Amino acid sequence: MVSMRMASIHESTTMKISAMAKKLAAGGQDIIDMGVGEPDFDTPKYIVEAGCNSIRKGETRYAPTVGIPELRRIIADKLVRENSLHVAADDVVVTPGAKMAVFAAIQALLQEGDECLLIGPSWVSYEPCVSFAGASVSWGKVDENFMPVDLAESISARTRLIIVNSPSNPTGSVFDRKTLEEIRDLAVDHNLSVISDEIYEKIIYDHEHISIGSMPGMEERTVTINGFSKSYAMTGWRLGYLAGPKETMKWVTRLLSHSVSQATTFVQRAGVAAMQGPQDEVAMMAAEFRARRDMLVSGLRNLGIPCSMPGGAFYVFPDVSSVGGGDAFTDRLLKEALIAATPGSAFGPDGANYVRLSYATSQSRICQALERIKKILS
Ligand SMILES: Cc1ncc(COP(=O)(O)O)c(C=O)c1O
């Protein structure tokens, strides 16, 4: 027996592929894992030390559901300084991972029968979170560079929420000011809420990161989400946060208080260290990701596979329609080239012609992957 609500949630394709790749690797196969959504770097030492010290000091008890005061204050300062948001510590809620922030915000903002606009191929967890709230997704169209086109056509009388994710998983696209202003205008004209998932904010190349919540008319309708997983290579620590209108934060807090209670106390101490410490490792990781992106995009293009140049995150989203389409090519990649990838169909209907390759793997592995792809195509 399972509830209708649970039955609306499908298995995560990325998790499924990752498990499959791990199983094949454990069986002795030389799998190049390009399915993963996590940095291959270790968490910087000063962050690890802060977490360990906190445990040693005995900070192993419950903390406030909303997060420890010091971390909330530092996050609010960051959002004011770097993102031009008008938030105070009281408007920030710390969560066990940004994923929980996304889940909680969606549950707070949507109800049965509502619609949520997702812009083109979108992160695998948004749709299940929307379904869990009893709402449905309407898919906004994008062009060949994954920029929104004619979004107004995907808005109906039932639309309540737009999710913006720039830089984007899976496409790596970054929305410029003009694009965000168009989304802002739609949100204001139709009185919609916006969730801005900015988890890849620090992994951005030649682009300015702009928080849509900082634009006029957006303060009262935007929930900004971010976390430590990608910027600080802290995926397993589970630390994220959200900030937004007081009423929304109130219900988010209530949901957290009855489910996860709080983000782990000593992990929050590590979060304080991450934000207060030197940021050069963050920049170093972003520089390495950029070198890998350049290598992978030019390698794929040389093989005749069209690939738009991502402005951020650590994924490329090449068009593989000429070599069988996303599902079939992902299958071939795994079976014939021992490369784990994610079919574009996992990210929504407009992703079917694509495959997502993560470049959170070394340059030498990317080089090997390109060689293997060349071999199966020739
Ligand atoms: C777009 C996007 N949002 C949120 C998350 C969740 O991150 P976290 O590890 O903080 O839960 C991910 C992780 O893959 C992501 O890609």
Side-chain angles (χ1 to χ4, degrees), residues 53-64:
N53 285 340
S54 176
I55 297 177
R56 282 192 209 98
K57 276 203 308 210
E59 290 177 323
T60 55
R61 297 177 188 272
Y62 288 136

Side-chain angles (χ1 to χ4, degrees), residues 37-38 96-100 102 123 126 165 167-169 197 199-200 225-230 234-235 238-240 315 356:
E38 68 176 337
K99 193 178 262 185
M100 191 64 206
V102 169
W123 180 45
Y126 296 137
N165 173 219
S168 152
N169 174 7
D197 179 349
I199 189 101
Y200 294 99
I225 294 178
N226 210 326
F228 294 73
S229 287
K230 318 288 176 177
M234 289 178 71
T235 45
R238 313 307 303 128
L239 192 61
Y315 311 102
R356 188 192 76 173

Side-chain angles (χ1 to χ4, degrees), residues 307-325:
C307 184
S308 86
M309 181 61 86
F314 40 70
Y315 311 102
V316 293
F317 206 58
D319 179 346
V320 290
S321 51
S322 63
V323 285

Side-chain angles (χ1 to χ4, degrees), residues 5-336:
R5 179 158 290 172
M6 290 303 286
S8 72
I9 300 178
H10 52 76
E11 193 181 357
S12 159
T13 314
T14 43
M15 296 286 184
K16 195 165 98 188
I17 287 163
S18 162
M20 212 149 75
K22 284 199 172 90
K23 199 168 150 201
L24 286 169
Q29 305 265 41
D30 179 25
I31 299 288
I32 301 178
D33 193 354
M34 301 182 91
V36 287
E38 68 176 337
D40 53 323
F41 304 105
D42 290 332
T43 305
K45 288 224 162 40
Y46 67 95
I47 301 175
V48 174
E49 275 312 305
C52 293
N53 285 340
S54 176
I55 297 177
R56 282 192 209 98
K57 276 203 308 210
E59 290 177 323
T60 55
R61 297 177 188 272
Y62 288 136
T65 293
V66 286
I68 60 173
E70 193 180 356
L71 182 57
R72 292 176 87 200
R73 187 173 43 74
I74 291 169
I75 291 170
D77 289 350
K78 181 256 180 226
L79 292 173
V80 172
R81 193 179 59 245
E82 295 184 6
N83 305 90
S84 307
L85 299 179
H86 297 120
V87 293
D90 281 353
D91 306 317
V92 173
V93 175
V94 178
T95 52
K99 193 178 262 185
M100 191 64 206
V102 169
F103 180 80
I106 289 176
Q107 303 317 307
L109 292 169
L110 291 178
Q111 59 190 347
E112 211 77 27
D114 285 349
E115 245 173 44
C116 168
L117 176 63
L118 294 182
I119 305 170
S122 297
W123 180 45
V124 289
S125 291
Y126 296 137
E127 191 178 20
C129 291
V130 169
S131 302
F132 196 77
S136 57
V137 163
S138 117
W139 295 94
K141 292 267 163 282
V142 287
D143 64 17
E144 65 285 0
N145 290 314
F146 309 109
M147 290 298 143
V149 274
D150 302 329
L151 278 191
E153 286 176 12
S154 305
I155 290 182
S156 76
R158 295 195 291 131
T159 310
R160 293 281 170 273
L161 175 66
I162 305 178
I163 298 183
V164 174
N165 173 219
S166 171
S168 152
N169 174 7
T171 66
S173 63
V174 174
F175 292 171
D176 60 14
R177 188 171 293 280
K178 188 170 157 288
T179 305
L180 290 171
E181 278 169 356
E182 284 165 11
I183 298 171
R184 186 266 320 266
D185 290 348
L186 278 181
V188 171
D189 290 350
H190 297 267
N191 194 21
L192 309 175
S193 295
V194 170
I195 288 178
S196 181
D197 179 349
E198 306 183 5
I199 189 101
Y200 294 99
E201 170 193 26
K202 303 276 182 195
I203 305 170
I204 190 163
Y205 328 105
D206 308 322
H207 286 76
E208 182 196 3
H209 172 75
I210 300 165
S211 293
I212 192 168
S214 68
M215 295 182 157
M218 292 308 287
E219 194 176 325
E220 272 318 295
R221 61 179 76 251
T222 308
V223 174
T224 303
I225 294 178
N226 210 326
F228 294 73
S229 287
K230 318 288 176 177
S231 309
Y232 297 101
M234 289 178 71
T235 45
W237 295 72
R238 313 307 303 128
L239 192 61
Y241 58 87
L242 67 170
K246 287 198 185 337
E247 187 64 12
T248 312
M249 292 300 107
K250 177 178 126 186
W251 295 108
V252 161
T253 306
R254 203 165 286 184
L255 176 61
L256 297 174
S257 76
H258 289 299
S259 51
V260 292
S261 288
Q262 56 155 112
T264 304
T265 309
F266 47 84
V267 167
Q268 295 190 55
R269 286 280 166 220
V272 169
M275 280 191 156
Q276 282 188 326
Q279 302 295 300
D280 37 336
E281 286 194 59
V282 178
M284 182 279 290
M285 291 189 263
E288 173 60 23
F289 280 134
R290 175 205 287 265
R292 296 171 184 182
R293 172 201 68 164
D294 292 348
M295 174 185 241
L296 187 52
V297 170
S298 69
L300 289 167
R301 286 177 177 172
N302 286 342
L303 294 176
I305 298 176
C307 184
S308 86
M309 181 61 86
F314 40 70
Y315 311 102
V316 293
F317 206 58
D319 179 346
V320 290
S321 51
S322 63
V323 285
D327 289 354
F329 193 64
T330 306
D331 221 44
R332 276 188 77 190
L333 282 177
L334 189 60
K335 291 191 181 129
E336 296 173 34

